[in-house]
Amino acid sequence: LPKLLERFGLSHGAEVGVASGGYSAAILNGTRAVRKLWAIDAWAGDRGHDEAQLAKARERLARFGDRAEIVRWRTSRWILSM
């Protein structure tokens, strides 16, 4: 996916349902073309996405600085806020 984002000139994106942030980290690690990635999840305990996974996502994505932004909202609420 990182190479496809580069190919199409996409510099901003979002992952929905981040869990522990592994996929978001892989995208950001795979290309410098992505300048901003929103990592969106409620981490509400449903679907196994909980506080422990939120902590892991924060840890994983911290090294990307401003390129990664954790958004703790239900996806539908975040989309409507844009």
Side-chain angles (χ1 to χ4, degrees):
L1 184 61
K3 298 304 175 198
L4 280 174
L5 295 171
E6 285 179 8
R7 182 176 176 197
F8 291 105
L10 300 173
S11 62
H12 292 70
E15 180 188 1
V16 176
V18 174
S20 61
Y23 192 61
S24 290
I27 291 170
L28 292 167
N29 197 46
T31 179
R32 294 286 306 163
V34 175
R35 295 190 325 250
K36 186 69 162 192
L37 183 76
W38 289 276
I40 307 163
D41 202 314
W43 290 282
D46 56 339
R47 301 175 298 127
H49 298 200
D50 57 19
E51 294 290 329
Q53 285 192 330
L54 171 59
K56 185 64 176 179
R58 285 185 173 140
E59 178 185 319
R60 279 186 170 149
L61 300 178
R63 68 186 174 112
F64 298 104
D66 291 343
R67 292 179 62 212
E69 182 176 335
I70 290 180
V71 179
R72 190 173 189 182
W73 276 12
R74 296 234 177 253
T75 306
S76 58
R77 289 189 63 209
W78 180 78
I79 290 170
L80 291 173
S81 75
M82 296 305 289

